[in-house]
Every structure is written in structure tokens, then in C-alpha cells.
Amino acid sequence: MNRSTKSRLTVKQLDWFPGNTLFEKIGRSVCRVGTLPGKELFEAWEMARRVRRKFRGGRVVDLACGHGLLAHIMLLLDDTSPEALAVDRHLPENANRLSEALIESWPRLRQRVRLVQADIETVEFSSSDLILSVHACGHLTDTVLEKAVEAGARVAVLPCCHDLERCSTGGLDGWLDGPMAVDVMRAARLRASGYQVLTRRIPAEITPKNRLLMGQPENG
């Protein structure tokens, strides 16, 4: 099993997911739809597991959501979240097909996951939200963090495609490689904004861009 594959999972990969764990059931649903790159399944699962160990409940808001898989998994891992909003400026053509397949397997998700094609700037957030983003490219990760801080909401991001011209390295790139310096500055800004910061990694065999940054308000 190549967990970093960018090829779509199809019925040909059903035997990758033979058991009855939640992850394997999700994997089979994804394969039957045949629209999602394998890497996205493994990224979403590994991030969701780590986030749910720390953050429970609240509306899930999945920004730059792609197919919106993370939003669905977050509700499956913690049913105390009432709903999930998955937002992307350009939703993939088959995002709704994937959502319907997951809802068919888990009917309790029906009418609890909304896929919205919109700009992040149009979304209204509250302090009870749990704001997430997997691989929001470049400066978009900073926008996600800024929106979370403005709302006083919990947040978790898995950054990628660090734009060293737009993203601040804080002068740390003399000691650290550029992308690491950017992520250290992101963590520092969260801390300076009154957040408790948690750092984790998902397996590097899925993606080398595997640094997971989480934060919650100190008084939350």
C-alpha cells in the first residue's frame, strides 16, 4: 500500500481495506466512488485522529476543503460536533458524490455536512468553531490562522507549499530551512495571540509536508 499515491483510489484498491475498522470502512467508501487521490485519504485520516485527541465538539469548519473528506471524518470520530461546513473556492466536480457515498454508509451524517463553494473571506466564524485546513497552499494557511484568531476559535492546520516571498520567516532562515522558519513563526504568532500551541506530525511516508500545528485560546 502506497500511502503517498496521488492516483485515485478505485474498486481495484478495495483489498487495501479488508477489515471492519472505521478507517477501512471509510477507505472502501472512497474506493467505490473512485474520485479521491489516495494521499488525500491518508492525510485527512491521520490529521483528524490527532486533532480529535485534543479537540472535541463544536462546529467543524474545513477550509480549502477539496473534496471535504476531513469534515466528514471529523464528525465520524466525534458525534458531539453538531455539523460540519466544508468550504472551497473551487469544489471538485465529484465532491458531492463522495459526500453522498459517505452519508449512505453513515446515515447520521445526513444534513450535518454542508459543502459550500465560496471564498474563505465570506465565512462567518464563532468562538465555538473548530477550524481546520489540510494543505492550504502558501499564504492561505496564514489566512486560516488569522480567521481563527479573530474568532477566538480552536484551529488546526497542516501547511504546505510555503511561499517564502509572502510568508514571514522572521529572520530565522539563517538557522532553519525556509518552510520550517515559516511554520515556527506561525506557532509564535498563535502563542502571542493568547493561544496554547500544540505541534505534531503525521507520517512522513504520506507527505514530507507533515507538520501539524494546533492551537486553542488559553482562556477557552
Side-chain angles (χ1 to χ4, degrees):
M1 183 187 300
N2 177 8
R3 299 206 291 169
S4 65
T5 181
K6 295 181 181 179
S7 299
R8 293 182 180 184
L9 294 174
T10 69
V11 292
K12 294 180 180 179
Q13 283 78 44
L14 279 172
D15 61 356
W16 286 12
F17 310 98
N20 288 314
T21 66
L22 176 60
F23 173 68
E24 288 168 308
K25 291 176 181 178
I26 294 170
R28 289 197 295 273
S29 292
V30 168
C31 287
R32 292 187 186 105
V33 176
T35 188
L36 191 78
K39 178 172 173 284
E40 292 186 23
L41 167 63
F42 294 108
E43 285 173 345
W45 175 254
E46 295 294 344
M47 178 172 174
R49 286 198 311 131
R50 286 160 176 77
V51 173
R52 277 309 193 194
R53 288 171 187 161
K54 296 297 180 181
F55 301 147
R56 311 290 289 184
R59 180 182 69 158
V60 171
V61 185
D62 182 6
L63 299 176
C65 68
H67 287 83
L69 179 63
L70 178 62
H72 293 77
I73 294 176
M74 291 293 288
L75 294 192
L76 291 174
L77 289 176
D78 178 16
D79 210 36
T80 67
S81 283
E83 61 179 336
L85 177 66
V87 182
D88 203 295
R89 183 178 293 177
H90 301 291
L91 286 172
E93 182 178 346
N94 291 312
N96 282 305
R97 280 187 60 216
L98 178 61
S99 181
E100 281 302 315
L102 293 166
I103 291 169
E104 183 177 344
S105 296
W106 290 277
R108 70 179 186 273
L109 296 180
R110 189 165 300 282
Q111 297 185 338
R112 292 174 61 199
V113 181
R114 284 196 299 136
L115 299 176
V116 177
Q117 184 162 289
D119 192 279
I120 289 174
E121 300 292 339
T122 68
V123 181
E124 293 186 5
F125 303 97
S126 76
S127 59
S128 61
D129 286 340
L130 173 51
I131 299 174
L132 311 171
S133 191
V134 177
H135 287 173
C137 287
H139 191 261
L140 189 54
T141 290
D142 295 297
T143 301
V144 173
L145 294 171
E146 289 163 8
K147 293 298 181 184
V149 169
E150 287 173 7
R154 297 165 298 167
V155 65
V157 295
L158 192 72
C160 79
C161 303
H162 298 73
D163 182 346
L164 300 185
E165 292 185 2
R166 297 186 65 194
C167 301
S168 173
T169 63
L172 298 174
D173 47 334
W175 289 348
L176 306 173
D177 69 79
M180 175 65 84
V182 168
D183 288 341
V184 168
M185 287 301 298
R186 287 166 170 162
R189 286 197 298 275
L190 275 181
R191 187 72 182 127
S193 298
Y195 273 64
Q196 177 187 357
V197 171
L198 304 107
T199 55
R200 300 290 186 269
R201 294 179 188 265
I202 70 168
E205 68 189 71
I206 298 172
T207 174
K209 297 166 184 174
N210 65 336
R211 289 190 291 270
L212 174 59
L213 172 61
M214 295 181 280
Q216 63 179 346
E218 289 278 11
N219 58 359

